[in-house]
């Protein structure tokens, strides 16, 4: 049986993706489930996180967001039985690639998949949905009437964050990194046939004439936004071209309202004393978005499963509608993952033929 793995180099740029033969253990643990994988999503690997947590291996499994059919269950499994359709996220320390034909996973990492949902739809949404819930509910304490700014709103994560926030009565602003992204966001609707836009204002930061801070303050009457979710922060004047459209930390702090919440994905963010003073004067908070924390403690297991069940339910009702590209077969997975890791594409889905 074959799976996709990352062959770690001395630097992240030297990492290579390879199809590797692997074996699935024949015996199941008490709470383990054997799943026949139907589809798997490819998201960028955080090799630094693996290193920090001492999970570093020569071959790192790729593809953790899976959906499939239960083939066999362990003796103490209570949530599932054979032939159930399930979706889940393999744990960070897994030894198995989600692109294998079958995987073994603890039942506490799976939830039921409604039959009417397509395999690729659920696989493509489960992790970004978890990130959106973590950012908006757990970290920012989103409430009806808030104003939210989603940076890079056309990303798979951004789209689900916009849809989730809108469903809770939040006014949404979003930045677009290209004219194509701006057109897409302007046409985003809660459901087919509805004229109301999901996004109150799209800010085209790709256009040098558009100022992110001025646009947000204008839209909020000078009060600033209640919640900001960034897609990274520009740390220096000289940055790679791919990061040139990211906002500076000072810009985010300026457009944040009193008592606001800044949720950042920038792992290397550093605040200078004047930045901290500005946040203090606004009684604002800063949180780091890392959805992997749900697997760090068994005390959070119930909350984790509740979130995944709610994501699947909202997918079923159409509240969440991921924007997906056509899936690729396993033999194209290596090239696809290289493109994902280099941020040449945002996400890829692999379907098992």
């Amino acid at each position: 049986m074959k799976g996709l793995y990352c062959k770690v180099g001395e630097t992240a740029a030297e990492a290579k993706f390879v199809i590797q033969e692997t074996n699935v253990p024949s015996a199941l643990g008490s709470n383990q489930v054997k799943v026949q994988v139907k589809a798997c999503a490819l998201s960028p690997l955080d090799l630094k996180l693996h290193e920090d947590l001492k999970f570093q291996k020569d071959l790192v499994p790729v593809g953790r967001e899976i959906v499939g059919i239960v083939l066999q269950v362990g003796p103490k499994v209570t949530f599932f039985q054979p032939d159930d359709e399930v979706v889940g996220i393999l744990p960070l320390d897994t030894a198995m690639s989600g692109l294998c034909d079958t995987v073994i996973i603890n039942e506490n990492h799976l939830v039921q998949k409604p039959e009417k949902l397509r395999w690729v739809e659920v696989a493509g949404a489960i992790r970004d949905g978890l990130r959106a819930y973590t950012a908006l509910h757990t970290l920012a304490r989103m409430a009806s009437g808030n104003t939210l700014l989603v940076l890079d709103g056309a990303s798979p994560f951004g789209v689900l964050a916009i849809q989730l926030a809108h469903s809770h009565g939040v006014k949404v602003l979003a930045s677009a990194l290209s004219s194509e992204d701006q057109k897409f966001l302007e046409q985003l609707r809660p459901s087919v046939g509805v004229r109301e836009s999901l996004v109150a204002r799209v800010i085209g930061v790709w256009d040098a004439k558009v100022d992110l801070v001025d646009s947000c303050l204008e839209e909020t009457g000078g009060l600033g936004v209640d919640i900001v979710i960034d897609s990274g922060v520009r740390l220096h004047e000289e940055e790679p071209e791919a990061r040139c459209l990211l906002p500076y930390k000072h810009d985010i702090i300026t457009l944040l309202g009193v008592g606001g919440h800044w949720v950042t994905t920038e792992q290397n963010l550093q605040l200078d004393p004047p930045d901290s003073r500005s946040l203090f004067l606004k009684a604002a908070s800063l949180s780091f978005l890392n959805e992997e924390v749900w697997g760090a403690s068994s005390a959070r297991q119930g909350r984790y499963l509740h979130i995944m069940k709610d994501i699947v339910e909202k997918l079923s009702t159409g509240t969440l509608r991921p924007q997906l590209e056509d899936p690729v077969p396993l033999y194209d997975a290596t090239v696809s993952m290289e493109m994902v890791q280099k941020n040449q594409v945002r996400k890829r889905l692999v379907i098992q033929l």
Side-chain angles (χ1 to χ4, degrees):
M1 183 170 56
K2 296 180 178 180
L4 182 63
Y5 294 83
C6 176
K7 195 172 184 178
V8 181
E10 292 186 7
T11 65
E14 296 176 0
K16 302 293 183 183
F17 296 96
V18 295
I19 299 291
Q20 190 86 2
E21 287 288 341
T22 186
N23 296 317
V24 176
S26 56
L28 293 181
S30 297
N31 295 100
Q32 289 184 325
V33 178
K34 180 182 282 189
V35 178
Q36 179 187 8
V37 178
K38 290 294 185 180
C40 176
L42 300 178
S43 298
L45 273 180
D46 189 344
L47 296 175
K48 182 65 168 61
L49 181 60
H50 279 78
E51 182 180 348
D52 290 342
L53 297 177
K54 312 300 181 186
F55 293 157
Q56 194 76 354
K57 311 167 187 172
D58 292 335
L59 290 174
V60 178
V62 174
R64 293 170 48 217
E65 302 122 272
I66 62 163
V67 60
I69 300 173
V70 174
L71 297 178
Q72 185 181 353
V73 298
K76 293 186 178 180
V77 170
T78 57
F79 296 156
F80 307 104
Q81 57 188 8
D83 297 328
D84 282 348
E85 296 183 356
V86 295
V87 58
I89 302 174
L90 293 170
L92 192 63
D93 60 349
T94 183
M96 304 190 67
S97 166
L99 276 77
C100 295
D101 292 335
T102 60
V103 297
I104 292 178
I105 180 173
N106 189 288
E107 66 171 335
N108 291 317
H109 294 283
L110 295 170
V111 294
Q112 297 274 1
K113 180 193 84 70
E115 290 185 5
K116 72 176 186 178
L117 289 177
R118 296 182 300 130
W119 300 114
V120 293
E121 183 179 6
V122 189
I126 192 65
R127 183 171 180 177
D128 288 321
L130 176 65
R131 296 187 78 217
Y133 259 80
T134 305
L136 292 171
H137 285 294
T138 308
L139 301 178
R141 304 295 183 185
M142 169 182 67
S144 177
N146 285 162
T147 301
L148 163 70
L149 171 64
V150 180
L151 296 167
D152 190 11
S155 66
F157 163 63
V159 169
L160 293 188
I162 289 169
Q163 292 170 345
L164 181 62
H166 185 272
S167 71
H168 283 76
V170 172
K171 178 181 179 180
V172 182
L173 315 179
S175 73
L177 303 186
S178 67
S179 57
E180 292 80 10
D181 284 354
Q182 180 157 353
K183 183 177 180 181
F184 165 76
L185 288 170
E186 289 171 345
Q187 295 176 347
L188 203 57
R189 298 290 184 268
S191 60
V192 178
V194 177
R195 297 185 64 181
E196 174 197 11
S197 176
L198 281 172
V199 184
R201 180 166 181 170
V202 180
I203 304 167
V205 295
W206 57 273
D207 186 346
K209 298 177 183 178
V210 175
D211 186 273
L212 177 67
V213 175
D214 290 345
S215 298
C216 290
L217 294 178
E218 178 185 340
E219 189 65 32
T220 59
L223 298 176
V225 301
D226 300 297
I227 304 169
V228 178
I229 302 177
D230 70 40
S231 58
V233 177
R234 192 171 178 181
L235 303 175
H236 311 288
E237 289 289 341
E238 297 295 328
E239 290 272 15
E241 183 179 353
R243 294 177 59 88
C244 285
L245 295 180
L246 296 177
Y248 288 105
K249 57 187 176 183
H250 178 72
D251 293 338
I252 295 179
I253 294 171
T254 302
L255 61 82
L256 197 63
V258 172
H261 302 278
W262 174 12
V263 180
T264 183
T265 61
E266 184 57 61
Q267 299 180 18
N268 298 316
L269 179 68
Q270 294 181 346
L271 294 182
D272 300 319
D275 300 325
S276 298
R277 180 66 181 174
S278 296
L279 287 173
F280 167 77
L281 291 173
K282 294 185 176 187
S285 68
L286 169 64
S287 302
F288 289 86
L289 177 57
N290 175 16
E291 71 279 8
E292 301 294 354
V293 297
W294 294 109
S297 171
S298 58
R300 291 180 169 265
Q301 200 70 59
R303 175 71 172 160
Y304 176 49
L305 290 176
H306 171 78
I307 291 173
M308 291 211 295
K309 287 177 182 177
D310 205 31
I311 292 167
V312 171
E313 181 181 335
K314 282 183 166 54
L315 286 169
S316 183
T317 60
T319 302
L320 297 180
R321 292 173 294 109
Q323 307 298 308
L324 305 173
E325 298 184 13
D326 292 334
V328 300
L330 179 60
Y331 57 78
D332 282 338
T334 302
V335 174
S336 294
M337 187 60 205
E338 289 175 353
M339 295 172 68
V340 169
Q341 192 71 9
K342 294 176 181 177
N343 293 318
Q344 295 172 347
V345 295
R346 283 167 165 157
K347 185 181 279 283
R348 276 286 190 264
L349 288 156
V350 179
I351 191 165
Q352 298 283 11
L353 301 176

